[in-house]
Amino acid sequence: MAGNRRPTIKTVAARAGVGRTTVSRVVNGSHLVSADARSRVLAAIKELNYVPNSVARGLVTSRTDAVALVIPESASRLGSEPFFAALIRGVSQALADRRTQLQLMLVRDQAEREQLTESVAERRVDGVLLVSVHSDDPLPAMLEEMGLPTVLAGRRDADERLSYVHADNAGGATEAVRHLLHSGRKKVATIAGPLDMDVGRSRLEGWRTAHEEAGLSAPETLIEVGDFSWESGSQAMRSLLERAPDLDAVFAASDLMAIGALEELRRQKRQVPGDVAVVGFEDSPHARWTNPPLTTVRQPVEELGSAMVRILADIAEPGAERQQLMLPTELVVRESSGEPTG
């Protein structure tokens, strides 16, 4: 081997002709490995003099007292969306109370996914908190296969197997749209979140449920899909107004998309709330300072972060059952959803 670099789990996997997951299973005593693969891995470990990080730290305990918060989003998005800042505050405070270090990891490409795989395989962290989960994200399945305690912020779908914490997305959205309909709005559109995320689908489901309760149709022409960003909210609002110029309300599945909608309505000389009422979701700090102040659904993001840490600690115990928790939401009524004109 060139130089004096310490062999890694990737080196062992290549020498043994197996995947890194198999090496991790052997190192951590899993029985889900064939005798042949185990033999080859052990031979490679001996030949390369490989020592897992957790062992190098001390043979008395396998704990690292570190937890990874994994966010598969760009750094710019991490900095621009209030949700992430609030979640990180909740997680970091809960970990500080437990004297556990937080490792923030952005996973944006294959190289960073491999870096995460190696950290997990070598047990450099005791568990993973995974945020911004998309239906086709390979990370949850990978973490489950490697046997590391994992808690998701959100879920992939209603049949999620892993532990998770999420807000009452469908119920909160239903309450928001119900509020608009009960206040006299006749044509309520929605700017939905990404439909490859349960949070996007659930908030769209809430919009539909409120219409069904009121005996109203919920046509596809009143639906636009964004990505939770300000820009996507502005573009979606423009498209909705082109298709349905007589709409008199919009429910956006995030505050940032609602703020983008407000900007587009202002550009098109639509009065809020006189012509068009607007409701968001999250109750981020921005919601109080829009013009007019934004009606929104409050979700307890910091509590969500602290609950993830609590559940992670619980499921790390031998024989512990997985836990799935839904936190309540609350409609916060401000001026953007006032009475319609006329």
Side-chain angles (χ1 to χ4, degrees), residues 6 27-28 50-64 119-126:
R6 185 176 66 84
V27 168
N28 292 289
Y50 169 71
V51 180
N53 275 17
S54 59
V55 178
R57 282 192 174 92
L59 297 174
V60 175
T61 174
S62 62
R63 289 190 57 82
T64 65
S119 292
V120 169
E122 295 194 342
R123 284 301 196 264
R124 297 175 193 165
V125 294
D126 295 326

Side-chain angles (χ1 to χ4, degrees), residues 101-159:
Q101 290 185 329
L102 174 63
Q103 294 184 15
L104 179 61
M105 303 182 70
L106 301 185
V107 179
R108 296 159 290 192
D109 55 30
Q110 183 59 33
E112 290 178 339
R113 183 173 288 110
E114 289 179 0
Q115 183 181 12
L116 171 64
T117 302
E118 189 157 320
S119 292
V120 169
E122 295 194 342
R123 284 301 196 264
R124 297 175 193 165
V125 294
D126 295 326
V128 170
L129 307 172
L130 182 58
V131 183
S132 198
V133 181
H134 295 258
S135 298
D136 60 352
D137 191 336
L139 288 177
M142 181 198 82
L143 294 168
E144 182 178 34
E145 187 177 9
M146 299 179 92
L148 191 73
T150 300
V151 181
L152 310 181
R155 59 187 186 180
R156 287 169 289 182
D157 54 49
D159 298 321

Side-chain angles (χ1 to χ4, degrees), residues 30-311:
S30 171
H31 298 293
L32 301 176
V33 184
S34 70
D36 177 63
R38 186 183 303 279
S39 176
R40 283 185 284 138
V41 169
L42 291 174
I45 287 173
K46 183 177 181 180
E47 181 180 347
L48 295 169
N49 195 28
Y50 169 71
V51 180
N53 275 17
S54 59
V55 178
R57 282 192 174 92
L59 297 174
V60 175
T61 174
S62 62
R63 289 190 57 82
T64 65
D65 292 322
V67 165
L69 176 60
V70 179
I71 304 178
E73 300 286 356
S74 66
S76 61
R77 185 146 199 179
L78 181 66
S80 65
E81 294 195 16
F83 171 85
F84 293 119
L87 184 79
I88 292 170
R89 282 197 302 273
V91 167
S92 59
Q93 182 57 60
L95 289 176
D97 293 342
R98 295 173 182 272
R99 299 188 180 279
T100 300
Q101 290 185 329
L102 174 63
Q103 294 184 15
L104 179 61
M105 303 182 70
L106 301 185
V107 179
R108 296 159 290 192
D109 55 30
Q110 183 59 33
E112 290 178 339
R113 183 173 288 110
E114 289 179 0
Q115 183 181 12
L116 171 64
T117 302
E118 189 157 320
S119 292
V120 169
E122 295 194 342
R123 284 301 196 264
R124 297 175 193 165
V125 294
D126 295 326
V128 170
L129 307 172
L130 182 58
V131 183
S132 198
V133 181
H134 295 258
S135 298
D136 60 352
D137 191 336
L139 288 177
M142 181 198 82
L143 294 168
E144 182 178 34
E145 187 177 9
M146 299 179 92
L148 191 73
T150 300
V151 181
L152 310 181
R155 59 187 186 180
R156 287 169 289 182
D157 54 49
D159 298 321
E160 180 60 69
R161 300 182 306 277
L162 294 178
S163 296
Y164 65 82
V165 184
H166 71 157
D168 183 6
N169 293 301
T174 300
E175 186 178 7
V177 179
R178 189 186 291 138
H179 162 72
L180 290 167
L181 294 171
H182 287 179
S183 65
R185 303 292 167 169
K186 305 296 184 185
K187 197 166 189 178
V188 181
T190 187
I191 303 174
L195 299 184
D196 67 338
M197 300 180 73
D198 179 78
V199 61
R201 296 190 299 271
S202 293
R203 292 176 188 177
L204 179 58
E205 175 192 336
W207 176 81
R208 290 193 171 109
T209 297
H211 280 80
E212 291 170 6
E213 288 178 354
L216 300 172
S217 64
E220 295 295 311
T221 53
L222 292 180
I223 301 171
E224 272 292 320
V225 177
D227 63 4
F228 293 135
S229 69
W230 175 92
E231 294 84 358
S232 71
S234 178
Q235 177 58 54
M237 190 73 254
R238 190 176 310 128
S239 299
L240 286 168
L241 289 170
E242 288 172 359
R243 289 203 305 271
D246 58 337
L247 66 82
D248 60 2
V250 60
F251 163 63
S254 78
D255 283 354
L256 281 184
M257 293 198 298
I259 292 168
L262 286 172
E263 292 293 329
E264 182 61 29
L265 289 166
R266 187 174 297 112
R267 275 193 290 270
Q268 299 205 22
K269 310 300 182 186
R270 301 293 185 100
Q271 297 297 311
V272 177
D275 298 328
V276 181
V278 179
V279 177
F281 202 115
E282 187 179 337
D283 195 27
S284 66
H286 298 319
R288 300 166 181 80
W289 305 111
T290 57
N291 182 22
L294 183 66
T295 294
T296 183
V297 178
R298 177 180 294 152
Q299 60 173 349
V301 182
E302 288 193 33
E303 183 182 342
L304 190 151
S306 61
M308 290 176 71
V309 171
R310 184 174 67 251
I311 288 176

